[in-house]
Amino acid sequence: MRGRTPFAVLVVVLLAAGLLGLLALNTALNEGSFELSRLQKQTTVATDEKQGLQHQIDQSSAPDALARRAAELGMVPAGGMAFLDIPNGGKVIGTPGPAQDSPPVKRSTVDPWPMRQPAPSAPTGAPPGAPSPAATAGDSVVQINPASPAAPAPSTGGAGR
């Protein structure tokens, strides 16, 4: 029996070392899996942020947004433009001119689509086409003359953009 004891101890030590090695390998693989999961979440967040920033850039670079921002900075549209036609000897095409600032358009305070109100009755002595006293007092009352309904516009079948 004495001859078998060292062999049994060696087998038990090898098995224990193998199990500890498998445990260390499994732990390392799980760490890699957790790192991969964390990096995937980080990539998703970064992609969402990039898409949001790209959307902001697209909105800010739209022509109407650029025109509005330029007007806020006091810029005005260019006057007559001229171009150089380099391939044809540097010929000037167009007439250059200075930028002209136009006065701002005054906005009306009248609601463009007022709620339909019963029209006040015209005085009995007034002609049929004369405006009522309420209509001449200011822009607070708008009289809408009913018209026959127009035929609906033909549909092109395309979806709105």
Side-chain angles (χ1 to χ4, degrees):
M1 248 280 186
R2 217 163 198 313
R4 291 186 187 175
T5 305
F7 178 72
V9 170
L10 178 66
V11 169
V12 170
V13 168
L14 287 176
L15 282 175
L19 286 176
L20 288 175
L22 283 175
L23 181 63
L25 181 65
N26 194 13
T27 303
L29 289 175
N30 281 338
E31 280 182 14
S33 176
F34 286 130
E35 180 72 12
L36 178 65
S37 177
R38 184 185 64 80
L39 290 174
Q40 284 175 338
K41 285 181 185 178
Q42 190 176 8
T43 302
T44 302
V45 169
T47 302
D48 290 346
E49 183 179 354
K50 178 187 174 228
Q51 287 176 350
L53 292 173
Q54 185 64 45
H55 182 68
Q56 285 179 348
I57 289 170
D58 292 343
Q59 283 183 336
S60 297
S61 64
D64 61 336
L66 290 174
R68 184 178 61 249
R69 182 70 179 131
E72 288 173 0
L73 293 172
M75 300 172 82
V76 295
M81 292 190 284
F83 301 94
L84 291 177
D85 190 8
I86 303 289
N88 293 327
K91 187 170 119 181
V92 177
I93 300 173
T95 307
Q100 299 292 325
D101 188 14
S102 59
V105 178
K106 293 188 178 185
R107 292 184 175 224
S108 172
T109 58
V110 178
D111 184 17
W113 304 106
M115 298 299 292
R116 189 162 236 209
Q117 299 174 357
S121 61
T124 55
S132 66
T136 59
D139 288 334
S140 60
V141 176
V142 177
Q143 185 175 4
I144 300 174
N145 293 329
S148 62
S155 175
T156 59
R161 290 186 186 184

